[in-house]
Amino acid sequence: MDTGSLFINIADSIQDGNLQNVPAKLAEALKEDGWIYNSNILWVRDNPTFQDNKRPIPSYEHILHFTLSKDFNYYTDWIDDDIINDRMYYG
């Protein structure tokens, strides 16, 4: 049986004035290639970079999680949880 886990951090892009919906397109392409789409985690950035254009400043990115098998384990032993100012931080 194939095994493996893949996390991808990806933001959207703009082309010809339109958001391209890159995270969703990537998720669909990987599903068609045999990966199992487990979760879409939103990474909220505390200090987003200013963009000089006609759009609000994106303050998040997608972290997509895929596996090759439905039978997978998610080990959390590596996480060192810290709570600072009522917010939880990992790693």
Side-chain angles (χ1 to χ4, degrees):
M1 167 177 28
D2 288 336
T3 61
S5 186
L6 174 67
F7 287 88
I8 301 174
N9 172 263
I10 189 163
D12 210 339
S13 64
I14 299 170
Q15 185 177 358
D16 296 327
N18 290 301
L19 284 170
Q20 297 301 299
N21 202 14
V22 172
K25 289 178 181 177
L26 177 62
E28 288 303 314
L30 286 171
K31 284 171 40 180
E32 290 175 10
D33 200 35
W35 287 89
I36 297 167
Y37 186 22
N38 285 300
S39 61
N40 180 356
I41 304 162
L42 288 182
W43 171 35
V44 178
R45 298 181 286 173
D46 288 334
N47 190 13
T49 306
F50 175 74
Q51 292 183 348
D52 188 19
N53 59 27
K54 299 177 184 180
R55 301 183 192 292
I57 300 168
S59 61
Y60 64 90
E61 293 180 20
H62 295 268
I63 301 173
L64 309 180
H65 178 222
F66 298 88
T67 59
L68 290 173
S69 169
K70 292 178 185 176
D71 183 26
F72 68 95
N73 295 313
Y74 187 77
Y75 298 104
T76 59
D77 296 344
W78 62 273
I79 298 176
D80 180 18
D81 300 341
D82 290 322
I83 298 177
I84 302 169
N85 297 329
D86 296 325
R87 297 187 69 183
M88 182 173 279
Y89 295 86
Y90 302 101

